Amino acid sequence: MRRWVAASAVMLVIPMVVTGLGSTANAQGAPADPIDALKRRLVENRGVKMSKVLTSTYITDGEKEHFWTEAVAEFGRGKITAIDMTYDSDRRNWTDPIRQVVVEGRQYIQDDHLPNGKSWILREDNEIRPVLDAGWIKLADPVMLKAVLATTRVKRPAGVYDGTPTTLYQGTITVGQLSKASPGLPFGLVVKPTGEEMKAKVSWRLWLGEDQLVRRAWGSWSEPFSKNGDVPVSYVVDARLTGWGAETDIAAPSADDVVTPSDWSMPEPSVPLNPAAG
């Protein structure tokens, strides 16, 4: 089945070094706008935590599947440099929570059933990028954030998240507009959208704190009917971000603990490379 579900759309708890999980004041004064606020946070060895749930609904029969994510993202050089995430699901035949560590060009997937004492599967690809997303929307991409906020149709005071009162921004944007703002797919996306799919609309909501950083992100979209008979699916994603400015230290697994591409003659790993797809 063809789906627009990313492997990054789903996850659970991560044992790692993260300290200082609270927003810190910026000595340079208040940010000019949300894009400026985000850029100020994308500095070395700082990051943010994210909890996310994605719900997919089969339009034909109303059956639902849920995917849960817990992640920590590390920043540097004006972007995300690494992400450590664990995810789980109530999808049929889903077994255990799955952990991934992603850095530019490399995706490590934990698997406790590998032979020879190995614990991680390594996938290498120049297209791999660590991404902090709420579905189609990359939450740590200043260019995409600017494009999304430009489609705002509603702005009003909202609730308190991560200890700060927020302002709700709400609107609709197309997949094509998002792709233009930030080329490259959200990490793990199964199929690159083309043609009519680029016109698909994504309804979005962002809750920004008093420091203009995103504290909650919500999105909804439907997979277009395809020509090859795939089952149509609709999606809703709800993400919470906490601890902007936390100290982070995400390290790739030791080479001695990794199954490399040269080892693919080994038995099939028990964890699929893209468990949220298909």
Side-chain angles (χ1 to χ4, degrees), residues 208-225:
L208 306 185
E210 292 182 318
D211 54 7
Q212 304 196 59
L213 294 167
V214 176
R215 292 315 202 287
R216 182 180 177 185
W218 179 96
S220 175
W221 66 97
S222 295
E223 184 173 6
F225 288 87

Side-chain angles (χ1 to χ4, degrees), residues 19-20 24 41 43-48 73-76 245-248:
T19 60
T24 55
R41 295 293 177 168
V43 297
E44 276 71 15
N45 301 121
R46 297 286 176 171
V48 68
E74 184 171 320
F75 305 139
E247 294 182 6
T248 56

Side-chain angles (χ1 to χ4, degrees), residues 127 136 138 144 178-179 182-187 189 192:
E127 298 298 318
W136 288 98
K138 302 173 185 176
M144 180 168 283
L178 291 168
S179 299
S182 181
L185 301 173
F187 172 71
L189 195 65
K192 183 176 182 179

Side-chain angles (χ1 to χ4, degrees), residues 2 196-197 224-230:
R2 181 184 183 187
E196 289 298 312
E197 296 170 339
F225 288 87
S226 62
K227 296 180 180 180
N228 61 359
D230 291 344

